[in-house]
């Protein structure tokens, strides 16, 4: 839990591709983490308990996102919120290419895109920043 806001180091599970492709089920991950959380609670390990809670919350948000994408497939193309229908969008291809290549001039965004390009994976906090 203490490292959850850090984007460097070993603070993630790296399970996202395995969950995405069904190599491990969300139910299995949830049950395993929940059992560990119960054990940590009985042992008085408050840091472990808090870490498990935060992880389960992240898994829940992931599943909510998948629910939205499945039940509202148009969200890949437009916003779920009607009040954002006319949000101004800049479709400049040069800017898009610079973003894809990690050459925007925003160091954190560029680092995230370069990591994605090099490894095929990016930290979930960086993913949110890069997508924004």
């Amino acid at each position: 839990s203490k490292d959850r806001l850090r984007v460097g180091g070993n603070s993630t599970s790296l399970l996202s591709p395995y969950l995405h492709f069904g190599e491990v089920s969300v139910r299995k991950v949830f049950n395993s983490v929940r059992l560990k959380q119960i054990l940590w609670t009985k042992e008085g390990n408050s840091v472990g308990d808090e870490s498990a809670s935060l992880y389960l919350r992240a898994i829940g948000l992931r599943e909510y996102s998948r629910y939205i994408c499945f039940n509202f497939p148009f969200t890949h193309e437009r916003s779920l919120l009607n009040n954002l229908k006319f949000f101004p969008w800049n479709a400049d291809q040069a800017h898009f290419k610079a973003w894809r290549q990690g050459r925007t001039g925003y160091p954190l965004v560029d680092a995230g895109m370069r990591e994605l390009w090099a490894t095929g994976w990016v930290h979930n906090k960086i993913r949110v920043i890069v997508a924004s």
Side-chain angles (χ1 to χ4, degrees):
S1 64
K2 62 185 174 69
D3 292 334
R4 73 184 184 91
L5 297 178
R6 297 186 58 180
V7 295
N10 187 15
S11 63
T12 67
S13 69
L14 302 175
L15 283 176
S16 52
Y18 305 102
L19 288 166
H20 176 79
F21 291 108
E23 295 176 38
V24 64
S25 74
V26 174
R27 182 172 288 163
K28 174 74 173 170
V29 171
F30 178 87
N31 288 333
S32 297
V33 172
R34 187 68 183 112
L35 286 172
K36 194 69 172 174
Q37 184 180 34
I38 292 167
L39 178 66
W40 283 333
T41 301
K42 287 183 180 180
E43 293 174 350
N45 181 346
S46 61
V47 174
D49 181 35
E50 182 185 9
S51 294
S53 291
L54 292 169
Y55 187 75
L56 292 174
R57 183 178 304 147
I59 292 291
L61 287 172
R62 177 195 178 277
E63 287 306 296
Y64 176 70
S65 174
R66 303 234 343 135
Y67 167 84
I68 293 293
C69 290
F70 181 81
N71 289 292
F72 303 95
F74 63 85
T75 57
H76 292 281
E77 310 260 333
R78 65 182 195 275
S79 176
L80 185 62
L81 306 174
N82 284 332
N83 61 331
L84 296 177
K85 185 176 184 178
F86 298 106
F87 188 83
W89 186 258
N90 182 356
D92 185 317
Q93 289 300 312
H95 287 154
F96 182 59
K97 183 177 181 181
W99 173 76
R100 285 190 334 232
Q101 295 175 344
R103 297 184 301 108
T104 66
Y106 294 95
L108 195 57
V109 172
D110 293 345
M113 291 305 288
R114 290 177 185 162
E115 178 184 23
L116 180 61
W117 185 260
T119 67
W121 185 88
V122 67
H123 189 284
N124 63 327
K125 300 289 185 200
I126 297 296
R127 190 178 313 132
V128 170
I129 293 168
V130 165
S132 296

